[in-house]
Amino acid sequence: MNEKERQIIDLIRQNPYITQQELAERVNISRSAVAGYVSSLMKNGVITGRAYVLNDFNRVLCIGGANMDIKARLYSEFKVHDSNPVKVSESVGGVARNIAENLGSLKMPVSLLTFTGDDSEAAKIRENTEGVDFTISQVKKGERTGSYTAVLNDTNDLMFALADMEIYDMVTIDDIKRLTKHIMSANLVVLDTNFPKDVLAYLLQKKSDKQRFALVTVSTKKISRLPDDLSNLDYLIMNRAELATLLDKMSLSPDWKGLQGKIAKVQEAGVKNIVVTMGQDGACYLNEEGEYGELQALPADIKDVTGAGDAFAAGVIYALNEGATLKRACECGLQLAKQTLETDESVVKTRDTDMLQRFINN
């Protein structure tokens, strides 16, 4: 590969929708010369389609929510119908975004497909998300970027939360169709349940034989967005409350033969591997070979629980992408969750990847 081809690839990586004329101007060659280079790169399999899609199959793609998180912490006991003094803080969040940034902190090539408004909140999300490629994320003009407002009592327990996620309900299959080649170029695709049910079903339907798909549930309310056909889903990660809601959706009793039996009934719907987080009780898993295991949570000096679940999911995804077993991947997730619990950050910006690699390989 020559220098001009490398320059063209770098420009395409930054903007897959760049035109040949723009490439010519940036590389300082003629448009016809650019066409020749692009044709050669496509023949060699480096570019796999238009908009130019680089064959970057080590990449993880996270699809779902990216929003502003606002926390209001009460200074004293809450009083109804009265003014309550609070301390307000703001940060970037969203399940897919949080997982993507966790993976970015582990130096893993990761992209994010989300939908935001054309407002200042969208700019804040991009500016404050490190190590993540936003190239294929989309802007819906005139709409508000998603937001999540949590009200915590004076002991830092959640009282209630307000979610303005209407922008995700507007996402359609047509919005996704034109990005299909980009989605299919990722090795591992991570979905959350912020997008509508038909969009998630379409994404699972388009999965190629070479890809793995993981789905991380967002809340009990959004369990209803899980597609009816889960046969293309390789990994499902959820918590105990979401598992109970899913069993109810499937018209199964939450008391079905203990925890292992409950998970096994979900697996019968077609999911190959299932992971359930249990807060202070750790996590459990059931893999496609039928191996079930329960893992204890690691002792932690807890400062803030925000983001711990997303860190756990990111640890599982990271380890799976590195070839780990599901058990080892869950252990890796517990390591990342512990690190997050012991900080005030929703996403720990600096991770010891060497330590994690040694842990995975042991």
Side-chain angles (χ1 to χ4, degrees), residues 22-47:
E22 290 171 324
L23 285 169
E25 292 169 359
R26 296 285 297 276
V27 182
N28 197 26
I29 56 178
S30 68
R31 181 175 176 178
S32 61
V34 167
Y37 284 125
V38 169
S39 177
S40 175
L41 290 167
M42 292 182 78
K43 286 179 182 177
N44 291 329
V46 179
I47 296 174

mmCIF file with all atom_site columns, all heavy atoms in Angstrom, residues 22-47:
data_model
loop_
_atom_site.group_PDB
_atom_site.id
_atom_site.type_symbol
_atom_site.label_atom_id
_atom_site.label_alt_id
_atom_site.label_comp_id
_atom_site.label_asym_id
_atom_site.label_entity_id
_atom_site.label_seq_id
_atom_site.pdbx_PDB_ins_code
_atom_site.Cartn_x
_atom_site.Cartn_y
_atom_site.Cartn_z
_atom_site.occupancy
_atom_site.B_iso_or_equiv
_atom_site.pdbx_formal_charge
_atom_site.auth_seq_id
_atom_site.auth_comp_id
_atom_site.auth_asym_id
_atom_site.auth_atom_id
_atom_site.pdbx_PDB_model_num
ATOM 1   N N   . GLU A 1 22 ? -13.691 15.668 -2.882  1.00 0.00 ? 22 GLU A N   1
ATOM 2   C CA  . GLU A 1 22 ? -13.102 16.110 -1.610  1.00 0.00 ? 22 GLU A CA  1
ATOM 3   C C   . GLU A 1 22 ? -11.806 15.358 -1.333  1.00 0.00 ? 22 GLU A C   1
ATOM 4   O O   . GLU A 1 22 ? -10.830 15.947 -0.846  1.00 0.00 ? 22 GLU A O   1
ATOM 5   C CB  . GLU A 1 22 ? -14.104 15.902 -0.470  1.00 0.00 ? 22 GLU A CB  1
ATOM 6   C CG  . GLU A 1 22 ? -15.288 16.850 -0.516  1.00 0.00 ? 22 GLU A CG  1
ATOM 7   C CD  . GLU A 1 22 ? -16.366 16.477 0.497   1.00 0.00 ? 22 GLU A CD  1
ATOM 8   O OE1 . GLU A 1 22 ? -16.582 15.267 0.724   1.00 0.00 ? 22 GLU A OE1 1
ATOM 9   O OE2 . GLU A 1 22 ? -16.989 17.390 1.061   1.00 0.00 ? 22 GLU A OE2 1
ATOM 10  N N   . LEU A 1 23 ? -11.796 14.058 -1.635  1.00 0.00 ? 23 LEU A N   1
ATOM 11  C CA  . LEU A 1 23 ? -10.569 13.285 -1.459  1.00 0.00 ? 23 LEU A CA  1
ATOM 12  C C   . LEU A 1 23 ? -9.452  13.837 -2.345  1.00 0.00 ? 23 LEU A C   1
ATOM 13  O O   . LEU A 1 23 ? -8.303  13.969 -1.903  1.00 0.00 ? 23 LEU A O   1
ATOM 14  C CB  . LEU A 1 23 ? -10.815 11.818 -1.799  1.00 0.00 ? 23 LEU A CB  1
ATOM 15  C CG  . LEU A 1 23 ? -11.599 10.990 -0.775  1.00 0.00 ? 23 LEU A CG  1
ATOM 16  C CD1 . LEU A 1 23 ? -11.986 9.642  -1.366  1.00 0.00 ? 23 LEU A CD1 1
ATOM 17  C CD2 . LEU A 1 23 ? -10.788 10.787 0.497   1.00 0.00 ? 23 LEU A CD2 1
ATOM 18  N N   . ALA A 1 24 ? -9.800  14.162 -3.584  1.00 0.00 ? 24 ALA A N   1
ATOM 19  C CA  . ALA A 1 24 ? -8.800  14.697 -4.513  1.00 0.00 ? 24 ALA A CA  1
ATOM 20  C C   . ALA A 1 24 ? -8.193  15.984 -3.981  1.00 0.00 ? 24 ALA A C   1
ATOM 21  O O   . ALA A 1 24 ? -6.970  16.199 -4.036  1.00 0.00 ? 24 ALA A O   1
ATOM 22  C CB  . ALA A 1 24 ? -9.441  14.931 -5.882  1.00 0.00 ? 24 ALA A CB  1
ATOM 23  N N   . GLU A 1 25 ? -9.042  16.873 -3.444  1.00 0.00 ? 25 GLU A N   1
ATOM 24  C CA  . GLU A 1 25 ? -8.567  18.161 -2.924  1.00 0.00 ? 25 GLU A CA  1
ATOM 25  C C   . GLU A 1 25 ? -7.700  17.968 -1.686  1.00 0.00 ? 25 GLU A C   1
ATOM 26  O O   . GLU A 1 25 ? -6.691  18.665 -1.510  1.00 0.00 ? 25 GLU A O   1
ATOM 27  C CB  . GLU A 1 25 ? -9.765  19.064 -2.603  1.00 0.00 ? 25 GLU A CB  1
ATOM 28  C CG  . GLU A 1 25 ? -10.527 19.506 -3.850  1.00 0.00 ? 25 GLU A CG  1
ATOM 29  C CD  . GLU A 1 25 ? -11.850 20.183 -3.532  1.00 0.00 ? 25 GLU A CD  1
ATOM 30  O OE1 . GLU A 1 25 ? -12.170 20.281 -2.318  1.00 0.00 ? 25 GLU A OE1 1
ATOM 31  O OE2 . GLU A 1 25 ? -12.557 20.603 -4.461  1.00 0.00 ? 25 GLU A OE2 1
ATOM 32  N N   . ARG A 1 26 ? -8.078  17.006 -0.825  1.00 0.00 ? 26 ARG A N   1
ATOM 33  C CA  . ARG A 1 26 ? -7.326  16.802 0.413   1.00 0.00 ? 26 ARG A CA  1
ATOM 34  C C   . ARG A 1 26 ? -5.987  16.115 0.162   1.00 0.00 ? 26 ARG A C   1
ATOM 35  O O   . ARG A 1 26 ? -4.990  16.401 0.836   1.00 0.00 ? 26 ARG A O   1
ATOM 36  C CB  . ARG A 1 26 ? -8.162  15.951 1.391   1.00 0.00 ? 26 ARG A CB  1
ATOM 37  C CG  . ARG A 1 26 ? -9.456  16.613 1.844   1.00 0.00 ? 26 ARG A CG  1
ATOM 38  C CD  . ARG A 1 26 ? -9.202  17.724 2.854   1.00 0.00 ? 26 ARG A CD  1
ATOM 39  N NE  . ARG A 1 26 ? -8.612  17.230 4.073   1.00 0.00 ? 26 ARG A NE  1
ATOM 40  C CZ  . ARG A 1 26 ? -9.307  16.715 5.096   1.00 0.00 ? 26 ARG A CZ  1
ATOM 41  N NH1 . ARG A 1 26 ? -10.638 16.626 5.005   1.00 0.00 ? 26 ARG A NH1 1
ATOM 42  N NH2 . ARG A 1 26 ? -8.701  16.313 6.186   1.00 0.00 ? 26 ARG A NH2 1
ATOM 43  N N   . VAL A 1 27 ? -5.946  15.201 -0.810  1.00 0.00 ? 27 VAL A N   1
ATOM 44  C CA  . VAL A 1 27 ? -4.718  14.454 -1.087  1.00 0.00 ? 27 VAL A CA  1
ATOM 45  C C   . VAL A 1 27 ? -3.855  15.167 -2.130  1.00 0.00 ? 27 VAL A C   1
ATOM 46  O O   . VAL A 1 27 ? -2.687  14.827 -2.335  1.00 0.00 ? 27 VAL A O   1
ATOM 47  C CB  . VAL A 1 27 ? -5.062  13.013 -1.538  1.00 0.00 ? 27 VAL A CB  1
ATOM 48  C CG1 . VAL A 1 27 ? -3.814  12.179 -1.788  1.00 0.00 ? 27 VAL A CG1 1
ATOM 49  C CG2 . VAL A 1 27 ? -5.913  12.313 -0.476  1.00 0.00 ? 27 VAL A CG2 1
ATOM 50  N N   . ASN A 1 28 ? -4.473  16.177 -2.769  1.00 0.00 ? 28 ASN A N   1
ATOM 51  C CA  . ASN A 1 28 ? -3.769  16.980 -3.789  1.00 0.00 ? 28 ASN A CA  1
ATOM 52  C C   . ASN A 1 28 ? -3.421  16.156 -5.036  1.00 0.00 ? 28 ASN A C   1
ATOM 53  O O   . ASN A 1 28 ? -2.299  16.174 -5.535  1.00 0.00 ? 28 ASN A O   1
ATOM 54  C CB  . ASN A 1 28 ? -2.504  17.614 -3.206  1.00 0.00 ? 28 ASN A CB  1
ATOM 55  C CG  . ASN A 1 28 ? -1.973  18.757 -4.071  1.00 0.00 ? 28 ASN A CG  1
ATOM 56  O OD1 . ASN A 1 28 ? -2.749  19.397 -4.802  1.00 0.00 ? 28 ASN A OD1 1
ATOM 57  N ND2 . ASN A 1 28 ? -0.675  18.998 -4.021  1.00 0.00 ? 28 ASN A ND2 1
ATOM 58  N N   . ILE A 1 29 ? -4.420  15.406 -5.530  1.00 0.00 ? 29 ILE A N   1
ATOM 59  C CA  . ILE A 1 29 ? -4.292  14.673 -6.785  1.00 0.00 ? 29 ILE A CA  1
ATOM 60  C C   . ILE A 1 29 ? -5.595  14.861 -7.563  1.00 0.00 ? 29 ILE A C   1
ATOM 61  O O   . ILE A 1 29 ? -6.565  15.436 -7.048  1.00 0.00 ? 29 ILE A O   1
ATOM 62  C CB  . ILE A 1 29 ? -4.024  13.164 -6.569  1.00 0.00 ? 29 ILE A CB  1
ATOM 63  C CG1 . ILE A 1 29 ? -5.128  12.532 -5.704  1.00 0.00 ? 29 ILE A CG1 1
ATOM 64  C CG2 . ILE A 1 29 ? -2.662  12.939 -5.946  1.00 0.00 ? 29 ILE A CG2 1
ATOM 65  C CD1 . ILE A 1 29 ? -4.961  11.042 -5.499  1.00 0.00 ? 29 ILE A CD1 1
ATOM 66  N N   . SER A 1 30 ? -5.650  14.382 -8.787  1.00 0.00 ? 30 SER A N   1
ATOM 67  C CA  . SER A 1 30 ? -6.855  14.542 -9.599  1.00 0.00 ? 30 SER A CA  1
ATOM 68  C C   . SER A 1 30 ? -7.949  13.592 -9.137  1.00 0.00 ? 30 SER A C   1
ATOM 69  O O   . SER A 1 30 ? -7.683  12.568 -8.504  1.00 0.00 ? 30 SER A O   1
ATOM 70  C CB  . SER A 1 30 ? -6.535  14.273 -11.068 1.00 0.00 ? 30 SER A CB  1
ATOM 71  O OG  . SER A 1 30 ? -6.231  12.903 -11.258 1.00 0.00 ? 30 SER A OG  1
ATOM 72  N N   . ARG A 1 31 ? -9.195  13.946 -9.504  1.00 0.00 ? 31 ARG A N   1
ATOM 73  C CA  . ARG A 1 31 ? -10.318 13.087 -9.134  1.00 0.00 ? 31 ARG A CA  1
ATOM 74  C C   . ARG A 1 31 ? -10.192 11.725 -9.815  1.00 0.00 ? 31 ARG A C   1
ATOM 75  O O   . ARG A 1 31 ? -10.526 10.697 -9.213  1.00 0.00 ? 31 ARG A O   1
ATOM 76  C CB  . ARG A 1 31 ? -11.636 13.753 -9.515  1.00 0.00 ? 31 ARG A CB  1
ATOM 77  C CG  . ARG A 1 31 ? -12.844 12.913 -9.138  1.00 0.00 ? 31 ARG A CG  1
ATOM 78  C CD  . ARG A 1 31 ? -14.150 13.598 -9.404  1.00 0.00 ? 31 ARG A CD  1
ATOM 79  N NE  . ARG A 1 31 ? -15.277 12.721 -9.121  1.00 0.00 ? 31 ARG A NE  1
ATOM 80  C CZ  . ARG A 1 31 ? -16.541 13.072 -9.235  1.00 0.00 ? 31 ARG A CZ  1
ATOM 81  N NH1 . ARG A 1 31 ? -16.850 14.298 -9.633  1.00 0.00 ? 31 ARG A NH1 1
ATOM 82  N NH2 . ARG A 1 31 ? -17.508 12.216 -8.966  1.00 0.00 ? 31 ARG A NH2 1
ATOM 83  N N   . SER A 1 32 ? -9.735  11.706 -11.056 1.00 0.00 ? 32 SER A N   1
ATOM 84  C CA  . SER A 1 32 ? -9.594  10.434 -11.769 1.00 0.00 ? 32 SER A CA  1
ATOM 85  C C   . SER A 1 32 ? -8.567  9.536  -11.076 1.00 0.00 ? 32 SER A C   1
ATOM 86  O O   . SER A 1 32 ? -8.730  8.311  -11.022 1.00 0.00 ? 32 SER A O   1
ATOM 87  C CB  . SER A 1 32 ? -9.188  10.675 -13.225 1.00 0.00 ? 32 SER A CB  1
ATOM 88  O OG  . SER A 1 32 ? -7.940  11.354 -13.296 1.00 0.00 ? 32 SER A OG  1
ATOM 89  N N   . ALA A 1 33 ? -7.508  10.162 -10.526 1.00 0.00 ? 33 ALA A N   1
ATOM 90  C CA  . ALA A 1 33 ? -6.508  9.385  -9.789  1.00 0.00 ? 33 ALA A CA  1
ATOM 91  C C   . ALA A 1 33 ? -7.121  8.791  -8.518  1.00 0.00 ? 33 ALA A C   1
ATOM 92  O O   . ALA A 1 33 ? -6.851  7.631  -8.162  1.00 0.00 ? 33 ALA A O   1
ATOM 93  C CB  . ALA A 1 33 ? -5.307  10.256 -9.450  1.00 0.00 ? 33 ALA A CB  1
ATOM 94  N N   . VAL A 1 34 ? -7.960  9.588  -7.822  1.00 0.00 ? 34 VAL A N   1
ATOM 95  C CA  . VAL A 1 34 ? -8.656  9.082  -6.638  1.00 0.00 ? 34 VAL A CA  1
ATOM 96  C C   . VAL A 1 34 ? -9.523  7.888  -7.012  1.00 0.00 ? 34 VAL A C   1
ATOM 97  O O   . VAL A 1 34 ? -9.541  6.861  -6.316  1.00 0.00 ? 34 VAL A O   1
ATOM 98  C CB  . VAL A 1 34 ? -9.521  10.193 -5.994  1.00 0.00 ? 34 VAL A CB  1
ATOM 99  C CG1 . VAL A 1 34 ? -10.478 9.585  -4.955  1.00 0.00 ? 34 VAL A CG1 1
ATOM 100 C CG2 . VAL A 1 34 ? -8.646  11.239 -5.331  1.00 0.00 ? 34 VAL A CG2 1
ATOM 101 N N   . ALA A 1 35 ? -10.264 8.011  -8.126  1.00 0.00 ? 35 ALA A N   1
ATOM 102 C CA  . ALA A 1 35 ? -11.131 6.911  -8.570  1.00 0.00 ? 35 ALA A CA  1
ATOM 103 C C   . ALA A 1 35 ? -10.320 5.633  -8.790  1.00 0.00 ? 35 ALA A C   1
ATOM 104 O O   . ALA A 1 35 ? -10.759 4.529  -8.438  1.00 0.00 ? 35 ALA A O   1
ATOM 105 C CB  . ALA A 1 35 ? -11.864 7.301  -9.853  1.00 0.00 ? 35 ALA A CB  1
ATOM 106 N N   . GLY A 1 36 ? -9.118  5.778  -9.334  1.00 0.00 ? 36 GLY A N   1
ATOM 107 C CA  . GLY A 1 36 ? -8.264  4.621  -9.557  1.00 0.00 ? 36 GLY A CA  1
ATOM 108 C C   . GLY A 1 36 ? -7.822  3.980  -8.256  1.00 0.00 ? 36 GLY A C   1
ATOM 109 O O   . GLY A 1 36 ? -7.845  2.741  -8.117  1.00 0.00 ? 36 GLY A O   1
ATOM 110 N N   . TYR A 1 37 ? -7.407  4.835  -7.290  1.00 0.00 ? 37 TYR A N   1
ATOM 111 C CA  . TYR A 1 37 ? -6.992  4.305  -5.988  1.00 0.00 ? 37 TYR A CA  1
ATOM 112 C C   . TYR A 1 37 ? -8.157  3.600  -5.279  1.00 0.00 ? 37 TYR A C   1
ATOM 113 O O   . TYR A 1 37 ? -7.995  2.521  -4.699  1.00 0.00 ? 37 TYR A O   1
ATOM 114 C CB  . TYR A 1 37 ? -6.451  5.426  -5.102  1.00 0.00 ? 37 TYR A CB  1
ATOM 115 C CG  . TYR A 1 37 ? -5.060  5.893  -5.461  1.00 0.00 ? 37 TYR A CG  1
ATOM 116 C CD1 . TYR A 1 37 ? -4.814  7.237  -5.736  1.00 0.00 ? 37 TYR A CD1 1
ATOM 117 C CD2 . TYR A 1 37 ? -3.990  5.001  -5.525  1.00 0.00 ? 37 TYR A CD2 1
ATOM 118 C CE1 . TYR A 1 37 ? -3.525  7.679  -6.062  1.00 0.00 ? 37 TYR A CE1 1
ATOM 119 C CE2 . TYR A 1 37 ? -2.713  5.426  -5.843  1.00 0.00 ? 37 TYR A CE2 1
ATOM 120 C CZ  . TYR A 1 37 ? -2.488  6.764  -6.115  1.00 0.00 ? 37 TYR A CZ  1
ATOM 121 O OH  . TYR A 1 37 ? -1.221  7.187  -6.435  1.00 0.00 ? 37 TYR A OH  1
ATOM 122 N N   . VAL A 1 38 ? -9.348  4.231  -5.301  1.00 0.00 ? 38 VAL A N   1
ATOM 123 C CA  . VAL A 1 38 ? -10.520 3.655  -4.641  1.00 0.00 ? 38 VAL A CA  1
ATOM 124 C C   . VAL A 1 38 ? -10.879 2.316  -5.265  1.00 0.00 ? 38 VAL A C   1
ATOM 125 O O   . VAL A 1 38 ? -11.175 1.333  -4.568  1.00 0.00 ? 38 VAL A O   1
ATOM 126 C CB  . VAL A 1 38 ? -11.713 4.633  -4.704  1.00 0.00 ? 38 VAL A CB  1
ATOM 127 C CG1 . VAL A 1 38 ? -13.004 3.923  -4.267  1.00 0.00 ? 38 VAL A CG1 1
ATOM 128 C CG2 . VAL A 1 38 ? -11.463 5.844  -3.818  1.00 0.00 ? 38 VAL A CG2 1
ATOM 129 N N   . SER A 1 39 ? -10.843 2.253  -6.601  1.00 0.00 ? 39 SER A N   1
ATOM 130 C CA  . SER A 1 39 ? -11.139 0.997  -7.298  1.00 0.00 ? 39 SER A CA  1
ATOM 131 C C   . SER A 1 39 ? -10.172 -0.109 -6.872  1.00 0.00 ? 39 SER A C   1
ATOM 132 O O   . SER A 1 39 ? -10.578 -1.248 -6.614  1.00 0.00 ? 39 SER A O   1
ATOM 133 C CB  . SER A 1 39 ? -11.062 1.219  -8.810  1.00 0.00 ? 39 SER A CB  1
ATOM 134 O OG  . SER A 1 39 ? -11.266 0.005  -9.503  1.00 0.00 ? 39 SER A OG  1
ATOM 135 N N   . SER A 1 40 ? -8.881  0.244  -6.776  1.00 0.00 ? 40 SER A N   1
ATOM 136 C CA  . SER A 1 40 ? -7.879  -0.729 -6.367  1.00 0.00 ? 40 SER A CA  1
ATOM 137 C C   . SER A 1 40 ? -8.110  -1.206 -4.939  1.00 0.00 ? 40 SER A C   1
ATOM 138 O O   . SER A 1 40 ? -8.020  -2.399 -4.632  1.00 0.00 ? 40 SER A O   1
ATOM 139 C CB  . SER A 1 40 ? -6.477  -0.120 -6.496  1.00 0.00 ? 40 SER A CB  1
ATOM 140 O OG  . SER A 1 40 ? -5.493  -1.006 -5.996  1.00 0.00 ? 40 SER A OG  1
ATOM 141 N N   . LEU A 1 41 ? -8.452  -0.261 -4.038  1.00 0.00 ? 41 LEU A N   1
ATOM 142 C CA  . LEU A 1 41 ? -8.697  -0.618 -2.637  1.00 0.00 ? 41 LEU A CA  1
ATOM 143 C C   . LEU A 1 41 ? -9.927  -1.500 -2.497  1.00 0.00 ? 41 LEU A C   1
ATOM 144 O O   . LEU A 1 41 ? -9.979  -2.392 -1.637  1.00 0.00 ? 41 LEU A O   1
ATOM 145 C CB  . LEU A 1 41 ? -8.847  0.656  -1.792  1.00 0.00 ? 41 LEU A CB  1
ATOM 146 C CG  . LEU A 1 41 ? -7.564  1.473  -1.598  1.00 0.00 ? 41 LEU A CG  1
ATOM 147 C CD1 . LEU A 1 41 ? -7.882  2.845  -1.029  1.00 0.00 ? 41 LEU A CD1 1
ATOM 148 C CD2 . LEU A 1 41 ? -6.594  0.731  -0.679  1.00 0.00 ? 41 LEU A CD2 1
ATOM 149 N N   . MET A 1 42 ? -10.935 -1.280 -3.332  1.00 0.00 ? 42 MET A N   1
ATOM 150 C CA  . MET A 1 42 ? -12.128 -2.115 -3.291  1.00 0.00 ? 42 MET A CA  1
ATOM 151 C C   . MET A 1 42 ? -11.828 -3.521 -3.807  1.00 0.00 ? 42 MET A C   1
ATOM 152 O O   . MET A 1 42 ? -12.292 -4.520 -3.246  1.00 0.00 ? 42 MET A O   1
ATOM 153 C CB  . MET A 1 42 ? -13.249 -1.462 -4.100  1.00 0.00 ? 42 MET A CB  1
ATOM 154 C CG  . MET A 1 42 ? -13.771 -0.167 -3.470  1.00 0.00 ? 42 MET A CG  1
ATOM 155 S SD  . MET A 1 42 ? -15.129 0.608  -4.367  1.00 0.00 ? 42 MET A SD  1
ATOM 156 C CE  . MET A 1 42 ? -16.495 -0.423 -3.840  1.00 0.00 ? 42 MET A CE  1
ATOM 157 N N   . LYS A 1 43 ? -11.038 -3.607 -4.865  1.00 0.00 ? 43 LYS A N   1
ATOM 158 C CA  . LYS A 1 43 ? -10.667 -4.913 -5.401  1.00 0.00 ? 43 LYS A CA  1
ATOM 159 C C   . LYS A 1 43 ? -9.880  -5.731 -4.393  1.00 0.00 ? 43 LYS A C   1
ATOM 160 O O   . LYS A 1 43 ? -9.984  -6.953 -4.328  1.00 0.00 ? 43 LYS A O   1
ATOM 161 C CB  . LYS A 1 43 ? -9.849  -4.739 -6.682  1.00 0.00 ? 43 LYS A CB  1
ATOM 162 C CG  . LYS A 1 43 ? -10.671 -4.314 -7.894  1.00 0.00 ? 43 LYS A CG  1
ATOM 163 C CD  . LYS A 1 43 ? -9.782  -4.128 -9.123  1.00 0.00 ? 43 LYS A CD  1
ATOM 164 C CE  . LYS A 1 43 ? -10.599 -3.667 -10.318 1.00 0.00 ? 43 LYS A CE  1
ATOM 165 N NZ  . LYS A 1 43 ? -9.725  -3.410 -11.497 1.00 0.00 ? 43 LYS A NZ  1
ATOM 166 N N   . ASN A 1 44 ? -9.060  -5.030 -3.588  1.00 0.00 ? 44 ASN A N   1
ATOM 167 C CA  . ASN A 1 44 ? -8.226  -5.707 -2.592  1.00 0.00 ? 44 ASN A CA  1
ATOM 168 C C   . ASN A 1 44 ? -8.964  -5.966 -1.277  1.00 0.00 ? 44 ASN A C   1
ATOM 169 O O   . ASN A 1 44 ? -8.384  -6.474 -0.318  1.00 0.00 ? 44 ASN A O   1
ATOM 170 C CB  . ASN A 1 44 ? -6.958  -4.896 -2.324  1.00 0.00 ? 44 ASN A CB  1
ATOM 171 C CG  . ASN A 1 44 ? -6.019  -4.900 -3.518  1.00 0.00 ? 44 ASN A CG  1
ATOM 172 O OD1 . ASN A 1 44 ? -5.969  -5.862 -4.273  1.00 0.00 ? 44 ASN A OD1 1
ATOM 173 N ND2 . ASN A 1 44 ? -5.280  -3.815 -3.691  1.00 0.00 ? 44 ASN A ND2 1
ATOM 174 N N   . GLY A 1 45 ? -10.249 -5.549 -1.211  1.00 0.00 ? 45 GLY A N   1
ATOM 175 C CA  . GLY A 1 45 ? -11.060 -5.821 -0.029  1.00 0.00 ? 45 GLY A CA  1
ATOM 176 C C   . GLY A 1 45 ? -10.846 -4.886 1.137   1.00 0.00 ? 45 GLY A C   1
ATOM 177 O O   . GLY A 1 45 ? -11.371 -5.117 2.227   1.00 0.00 ? 45 GLY A O   1
ATOM 178 N N   . VAL A 1 46 ? -10.077 -3.807 0.929   1.00 0.00 ? 46 VAL A N   1
ATOM 179 C CA  . VAL A 1 46 ? -9.858  -2.848 2.023   1.00 0.00 ? 46 VAL A CA  1
ATOM 180 C C   . VAL A 1 46 ? -11.102 -1.994 2.221   1.00 0.00 ? 46 VAL A C   1
ATOM 181 O O   . VAL A 1 46 ? -11.499 -1.672 3.341   1.00 0.00 ? 46 VAL A O   1
ATOM 182 C CB  . VAL A 1 46 ? -8.629  -1.956 1.724   1.00 0.00 ? 46 VAL A CB  1
ATOM 183 C CG1 . VAL A 1 46 ? -8.422  -0.940 2.837   1.00 0.00 ? 46 VAL A CG1 1
ATOM 184 C CG2 . VAL A 1 46 ? -7.394  -2.819 1.552   1.00 0.00 ? 46 VAL A CG2 1
ATOM 185 N N   . ILE A 1 47 ? -11.739 -1.610 1.112   1.00 0.00 ? 47 ILE A N   1
ATOM 186 C CA  . ILE A 1 47 ? -13.013 -0.898 1.139   1.00 0.00 ? 47 ILE A CA  1
ATOM 187 C C   . ILE A 1 47 ? -14.071 -1.874 0.655   1.00 0.00 ? 47 ILE A C   1
ATOM 188 O O   . ILE A 1 47 ? -13.883 -2.567 -0.341  1.00 0.00 ? 47 ILE A O   1
ATOM 189 C CB  . ILE A 1 47 ? -12.976 0.350  0.231   1.00 0.00 ? 47 ILE A CB  1
ATOM 190 C CG1 . ILE A 1 47 ? -11.955 1.367  0.744   1.00 0.00 ? 47 ILE A CG1 1
ATOM 191 C CG2 . ILE A 1 47 ? -14.360 0.991  0.146   1.00 0.00 ? 47 ILE A CG2 1
ATOM 192 C CD1 . ILE A 1 47 ? -11.752 2.555  -0.175  1.00 0.00 ? 47 ILE A CD1 1
#
